[in-house]
Amino acid sequence: MADEVILLDVEYSMFGMRARIALAEKGIEYEYREENLADKSPLLLEMNPVHKKIPVLIHNGKPVCESLVIVQYIDEAWKDKSPNFLPSDPYARAKARFWADFVDKKVYESGRRLWTTRGEELETAKKDMIDALKLLEAELGDDSYFGGDNFGFLDIALITFYSWFHAYEYYSKLSFEDHCPKLIAWAKRCMEKESVSKSLADQNKVYEFVLLLRKKFGTG
């Protein structure tokens, strides 16, 4: 009996994109269901009653919530399928998880402030974002990917934000490539992978989506 895999998601979510990349990397077929967060489906509310958020991976009727947990679950549930996202060494695994958590705490929050704030708060957000990206660039070093020669867990965690970089740069007047050229080279390298390029939302469409959000929330 084949696995039943359903992904509840939103096209422009950098968190949902992580699940899409992980599924594509493993070659897992699944049903994609786009959610309307203004009118959440009964299935979403049933499958994630705690946070009521996407993404939710439903594997044979059982829900898995939170994007990094989903990526790890996919890695473990289909461990017979290559590639493996997390390294076998316990310390290397711990480091990958640490930096992925850093992405969620620092990159996401700074990025959100880049398009929702003005004035002094925006200037602080710009500094925080560049500081965070520089730390990640230092962690990458001269490797092809954060997993060394292999595209892995931290690469999946971070690359989805690349689809939002155009919007971030537009509203902050920053050039990430000027500040972090190695990191942008890494992002372009990741985009050469079909699993990534087909899973990420188009940067221009994300910008249009952010424009709508700014109007909706009165920050435009």
Side-chain angles (χ1 to χ4, degrees), residues 87-107:
S88 57
D89 176 70
Y91 181 68
R93 290 166 74 91
K95 278 186 67 179
R97 290 186 175 117
F98 169 85
W99 284 109
D101 183 66
F102 175 85
V103 169
D104 279 1
K105 286 185 169 70
K106 298 296 184 180
V107 177

Side-chain angles (χ1 to χ4, degrees), residues 2-211:
D3 285 334
E4 181 189 50
V5 183
I6 300 169
L7 181 64
L8 308 183
D9 198 1
V10 170
E11 180 182 1
Y12 302 123
S13 168
M14 65 277 285
F15 302 112
M17 291 178 216
R18 290 171 172 172
R20 284 174 248 166
I21 292 172
L23 290 165
E25 279 284 293
K26 292 277 191 177
I28 300 164
E29 293 186 4
Y30 66 98
E31 179 186 346
Y32 178 89
R33 295 190 188 179
E34 180 80 7
E35 282 286 333
N36 176 3
L37 297 184
D39 184 18
K40 298 172 183 177
S41 72
L43 183 61
L44 174 60
L45 299 177
E46 177 190 351
M47 292 291 108
N48 190 359
V50 176
H51 296 301
K52 303 177 177 63
K53 293 179 178 180
I54 55 89
V56 178
L57 182 78
I58 307 172
H59 184 201
N60 293 331
K62 298 177 180 178
V64 183
C65 306
E66 298 294 304
S67 63
L68 294 178
V69 176
I70 289 171
V71 173
Q72 292 178 76
Y73 177 83
I74 291 169
D75 200 23
E76 294 169 1
W78 288 278
K79 60 184 176 183
D80 57 322
K81 292 179 177 286
S82 296
N84 295 318
F85 305 143
L86 281 160
S88 57
D89 176 70
Y91 181 68
R93 290 166 74 91
K95 278 186 67 179
R97 290 186 175 117
F98 169 85
W99 284 109
D101 183 66
F102 175 85
V103 169
D104 279 1
K105 286 185 169 70
K106 298 296 184 180
V107 177
Y108 172 72
E109 181 58 26
S110 299
R112 185 189 62 80
R113 285 155 52 213
L114 290 180
W115 62 269
T116 59
T117 63
R118 294 191 177 107
E120 187 176 332
E121 192 173 351
L122 175 58
E123 293 305 312
T124 301
K126 289 162 67 171
K127 181 182 183 302
D128 289 347
M129 175 60 97
I130 295 303
D131 287 349
L133 294 182
K134 281 185 175 294
L135 284 170
L136 285 160
E137 188 175 59
E139 176 63 19
L140 175 66
D142 294 323
D143 289 335
S144 296
Y145 302 107
F146 285 99
D149 292 331
N150 300 313
F151 179 82
F153 184 69
L154 181 51
D155 300 287
I156 295 172
L158 180 59
I159 189 55
T160 58
F161 285 82
Y162 186 60
S163 63
W164 283 69
F165 274 15
H166 172 58
Y168 291 164
E169 289 182 321
Y170 180 85
Y171 290 110
S172 66
K173 308 306 178 190
L174 282 171
S175 167
F176 294 153
E177 190 162 21
D178 286 350
H179 290 278
C180 304
K182 284 187 177 180
L183 198 67
I184 297 303
W186 159 84
K188 292 177 179 178
R189 194 177 306 120
C190 291
M191 288 296 289
E192 294 173 0
K193 296 178 64 66
E194 186 175 320
S195 61
V196 176
S197 62
K198 289 191 173 182
S199 299
L200 263 61
D202 179 83
Q203 287 195 350
N204 292 317
K205 290 185 178 180
V206 171
Y207 164 75
E208 292 170 3
F209 174 66
V210 171
L211 186 62

